[in-house]
Amino acid sequence: MARSGRTVRRNDPLLYEVFADQWWQPRGVFAMLHWLAAARGALVPTAARNGAVLVDLGCGAGLLAPHVAGKGYRHIGVDRSRTALRQAAEHGVQPVVGDVLAVPLPDGCADCVVAGEVLEHVTDLPAAVAEACRVLRAGGLLVLDTLAATALCRVVAIGIAERLAVRGVHDPALLVDRAELIAEAARHGVALRLRGVRPSWLDLLTWAAGRDGGVRMLPFSSTAVLFQGIGRKKG
């Protein structure tokens, strides 16, 4: 990932305005978000009905859009950044200005709710999970990825990875407790299953050497750093 040479305050939303021109740059400071969006999109099934809705929480500039295009959803993106939402709209996302702690959408409106790389930024994890489950209809699917609240994650995702991109992206205090995440989802009727993911080391090396294209995110035995979650709401 390209080094920015910039430092921001920990977990400062201003980051996404400062680097707004880099959202869709494949070798920009948000490069890894592209790789994660591809892995996240692979977990989203083809819509099971006409008029299906996918709600993308913390959608940013719509990086998920190319990976769910053609799957039959109306793609609604919720984010606080108007700059990012304008870019998301250019990629077919219906933009909604809002906070993931108080999503401005009705109960049960979504066939699929996606929360990618956003839960590690929220100050109230139970509220964020409750909102994601609230807008999900019975039988709908929740898909997420985030960073674990472990010492290893603090070293890898903050101590190492931020040196290669933008320092200050994450607040260690907000990394996600996996047991709490599972328990909160279960409280709202979603049985969440977790699995670890990691970049392909070969892809990462060749990408770092200047190869065009992305880096595949592969299943990994440990959820101690980066992990995905998937679960269906009881109906």
Side-chain angles (χ1 to χ4, degrees):
M1 190 179 297
R3 296 186 65 174
S4 70
R6 298 288 295 272
T7 301
V8 296
R9 289 187 298 112
R10 285 280 171 203
N11 203 46
D12 189 346
L14 181 62
L15 163 76
Y16 304 101
E17 305 303 325
V18 172
F19 298 108
D21 63 332
Q22 297 204 34
W23 273 111
W24 285 94
Q25 293 185 19
R27 305 190 71 85
V29 299
F30 298 129
M32 191 171 183
L33 297 185
H34 286 262
W35 313 339
L36 289 165
R40 191 181 315 130
L43 297 179
V44 176
T46 300
R49 67 184 185 92
N50 292 332
V53 171
L54 182 151
V55 172
D56 189 355
L57 299 177
C59 68
L63 303 188
L64 181 66
H67 309 291
V68 295
K71 291 191 174 185
Y73 295 96
R74 178 161 63 98
H75 187 172
I76 298 175
V78 179
D79 205 283
R80 292 192 296 178
S81 170
R82 294 177 184 271
T83 304
L85 286 172
R86 282 196 292 271
Q87 295 184 57
E90 294 172 358
H91 293 269
V93 179
Q94 181 180 332
V96 173
V97 178
D99 195 310
V100 299
L101 299 181
V103 179
L105 294 173
D107 296 357
C109 66
D111 297 80
C112 183
V113 171
V114 177
E117 296 305 297
V118 67
L119 295 181
E120 72 272 24
H121 295 289
V122 302
T123 55
D124 188 340
L125 180 66
V129 175
E131 281 294 273
C133 296
R134 178 186 65 78
V135 299
L136 188 63
R137 71 173 181 85
L141 192 69
L142 175 63
V143 174
L144 60 87
D145 50 70
T146 188
L147 294 170
T150 65
L152 179 60
C153 186
R154 287 191 289 272
V155 170
V156 174
I158 297 176
I160 297 174
E162 286 193 6
R163 293 175 182 269
L164 303 177
V166 184
R167 297 190 184 189
V169 175
H170 300 103
D171 182 345
L174 298 180
L175 298 180
V176 175
D177 182 295
R178 291 160 290 173
E180 181 184 8
L181 174 62
I182 291 170
E184 290 299 327
R187 283 185 60 217
H188 299 284
V190 176
L192 201 61
R193 306 184 307 277
L194 308 185
R195 73 170 188 177
V197 288
R198 65 164 178 85
S200 160
W201 307 131
L202 178 59
D203 287 1
L204 194 58
L205 286 172
T206 55
W207 184 87
R211 186 202 70 180
D212 290 336
V215 173
R216 291 170 296 163
M217 303 300 294
L218 305 177
F220 191 48
S221 58
S222 173
T223 60
V225 178
L226 176 64
F227 64 89
Q228 296 174 314
I230 187 168
R232 196 167 291 279
K233 188 174 182 179
K234 293 178 183 178

